[in-house]
Amino acid sequence: MTQTYTITRLGHQGDGISDGPVYAPRTLPGEVVSGTLLGQFLSDIRVETPSDQRVKAPCRHYKSCGGCQLQHAADDFVADWKVEVVRNALTAQGLEADMRPIHTSPERSRRRATIAVRRTKKGTLAGFHGRASDTITEIPDCHLLDLALIAAIPVAEALAVLGGSRKGVLAVTLTLSEGGLDVAVKGGKSLDGPLELALAQATEKHGLARLSWDGEVIAMRQPPVQRFGAADVVPPSGAFLQATKDGEQALLQAVSEATSGAKRIVDLFAGCGTFSLPLAETAEVHAVEGEAAMTQALDQGWRRAQGLKRVTTEARDLFRRPLMPDELKSFDAVVIDPPRAGAEAQVAELAQALRPVIAYVSCNPVTFARDAKTLVNAGYTLEWLQVVDQFRWSSHTELAARFILNPKT
């Protein structure tokens, strides 16, 4: 039975929400919509009264593809909404901050994407999954991905022909690097001699920098270098990398400003050196990361670079073994960039260590606000906050913030 609803707000996933609550994807506040209610979710949605913020989606794949959630909304609306998501998370913890203008990465700037590929009777089907669906939508005109990534989709299809199963879906992660295309495949057939040979030949045929299969490197024609400041780093296959170079630079600029003047910096959840290596141009850095392969890549990048100050590395699980106050006391600035869960245990120790400056980078406003509350209660001031939107048209929001220790603490 079709019913009518008025959308009052957007949720954290970008869905419109009506009283109930009733969730209606790809709707906007103020719109009157109709559809069929299945549990709390509206399907077969028809927009009866559109918002003046509604626009025609720039990408022709938007209706069937699940890669974006907000292409139906004006860019200014999306920017304001993302800033408001952060502000609301802070307000829920009784906090506020000087909110700088949002930085949004341009279209077609994603340098990394995981393509779903399924073998079919006629060949292959490659693209993104539809929203909450196993259906794969082809994306030859995607407005998110760098054009070089779109041009590489046939590589993913070729690999599925070689090692994909008709029963499963291959996940092929394509990453642009200074050395060429870096490809990591998951969900394929088990490796044997003939398959390994075929994959090595495919690496050569398609001019790939590196190919790995379920975590095992098959071949590397050229090092898939990522450049962090003055250093060239070869990350482990599948290692974390900021989604866009533009977004990475915006976060780095904020972190550099936040730690300006520091002589000794500790970088927590350092990855392969996104922040550590550029910061080493002016300060000594101790980089701490849970994955040993990533700290090794960071260390090698530092050793090959010229003109950087000393960088030391430590492989350590900061969730189970956070750095303690006595280990933090020699640093005059802290950089922390945890995963979505935040860094509750490590932040508790930072609250005790009372370092002069903390630069916090986050991909989850809710856990950031929780951690920020701990720091503020310990005597820090949240001086400013920069929202960075490198996941354009998605509900995903990132930020960088500066905390300073109150003089009387």
Side-chain angles (χ1 to χ4, degrees):
M1 179 178 177
T2 299
Q3 301 180 59
T4 300
Y5 302 87
T6 299
I7 304 302
T8 58
R9 59 191 175 91
L10 291 191
H12 282 183
Q13 301 301 314
D15 287 350
I17 301 177
S18 180
D19 292 342
V22 172
Y23 299 91
R26 297 180 178 177
T27 60
L28 296 172
E31 292 187 330
V32 177
V33 302
S34 60
T36 303
L37 189 62
L38 300 172
Q40 291 183 303
F41 296 89
L42 204 61
S43 65
D44 304 321
I45 296 171
R46 178 184 175 89
V47 179
E48 306 290 349
T49 305
S51 165
D52 58 5
Q53 298 294 331
R54 178 171 285 275
V55 299
K56 181 180 179 181
C59 180
R60 66 183 177 92
H61 308 305
Y62 183 56
K63 287 185 178 180
S64 55
C65 176
C68 297
Q69 296 89 47
L70 291 163
Q71 282 197 11
H72 60 286
D75 286 348
D76 287 348
F77 172 87
V78 175
D80 291 343
W81 174 71
K82 292 199 173 190
V83 171
E84 196 63 22
V85 165
V86 176
R87 184 177 285 114
N88 288 341
L90 292 174
T91 299
Q93 296 288 347
L95 302 176
E96 58 183 20
D98 174 21
M99 304 281 284
R100 295 181 169 184
I102 188 172
H103 178 96
T104 302
S105 292
E107 296 183 34
R108 295 189 171 96
S109 61
R110 285 284 295 273
R111 60 180 172 183
R112 184 177 207 170
T114 299
I115 306 297
V117 193
R118 178 182 288 121
R119 288 183 59 190
T120 67
K121 291 181 179 179
K122 296 182 179 180
T124 58
L125 180 64
F128 289 153
H129 284 291
R131 179 187 172 93
S133 169
D134 289 333
T135 302
I136 297 174
T137 299
E138 294 181 301
I139 51 168
D141 296 323
C142 176
H143 281 237
L144 282 180
L145 306 187
D146 187 292
L147 293 175
L149 280 187
I150 294 175
I153 291 176
V155 174
E157 295 174 325
L159 293 173
V161 171
L162 291 175
S165 167
R166 288 279 294 275
K167 296 181 180 179
V169 175
L170 215 60
V172 183
T173 300
L174 307 172
T175 305
L176 301 180
S177 79
E178 300 291 333
L181 192 66
D182 190 11
V183 182
V185 180
K186 291 186 176 180
K189 294 178 180 178
S190 297
L191 281 173
D192 57 20
L195 177 57
E196 195 163 349
L197 177 60
L199 293 173
Q201 291 172 339
T203 302
E204 192 67 32
K205 175 182 177 181
H206 296 287
L208 307 181
R210 177 173 62 184
L211 172 64
S212 68
W213 194 266
D214 283 326
E216 182 174 338
V217 175
I218 301 299
M220 186 166 70
R221 294 176 61 256
Q222 293 189 45
V225 167
Q226 298 295 336
R227 187 158 292 152
F228 300 137
D232 288 344
V233 176
V234 180
S237 180
F240 174 79
L241 186 70
Q242 296 291 345
T244 70
K245 193 68 176 176
D246 172 86
E248 177 181 285
Q249 290 303 307
L251 292 170
L252 174 59
Q253 182 176 345
V255 168
S256 298
E257 180 185 344
T259 60
S260 177
K263 300 302 182 184
R264 296 202 72 229
I265 300 173
V266 61
D267 184 6
L268 306 173
F269 303 95
C272 291
T274 303
F275 303 125
S276 296
L277 293 166
L279 291 175
E281 294 177 16
T282 57
E284 292 187 359
V285 179
H286 181 57
V288 187
E289 163 60 42
E291 298 291 333
M294 295 174 77
T295 60
Q296 290 167 7
L298 192 164
D299 181 65
Q300 291 170 7
W302 171 69
R303 292 180 184 280
R304 288 192 296 262
Q306 299 294 320
L308 298 183
K309 294 186 180 295
R310 185 166 179 256
V311 175
T312 54
T313 59
E314 180 180 357
R316 180 165 171 170
D317 185 339
L318 292 172
F319 293 105
R320 297 183 178 181
R321 293 181 55 234
L323 264 68
M324 306 303 286
D326 63 333
E327 297 175 282
L328 292 163
K329 65 183 180 182
S330 64
F331 301 104
D332 50 355
V334 178
V335 176
I336 184 167
D337 181 15
R340 290 190 60 79
E344 193 168 14
Q346 182 62 77
V347 167
E349 302 306 329
L350 288 173
Q352 298 295 319
L354 300 178
R355 295 299 79 213
V357 174
I358 299 173
Y360 195 131
V361 177
S362 173
C363 59
N364 185 340
V366 173
T367 57
F368 166 77
R370 177 202 67 200
D371 291 348
K373 179 67 170 178
T374 299
L375 294 174
V376 169
N377 285 346
Y380 285 89
T381 295
L382 174 50
E383 188 178 35
W384 53 256
L385 188 150
Q386 169 76 64
V387 179
V388 175
D389 181 12
Q390 62 175 322
F391 290 88
R392 192 183 182 103
W393 298 310
S394 82
S395 58
H396 191 72
T397 303
E398 296 183 286
L399 62 90
R402 184 178 197 244
F403 293 86
I404 56 173
L405 189 63
N406 296 332
K408 295 181 181 180
T409 300

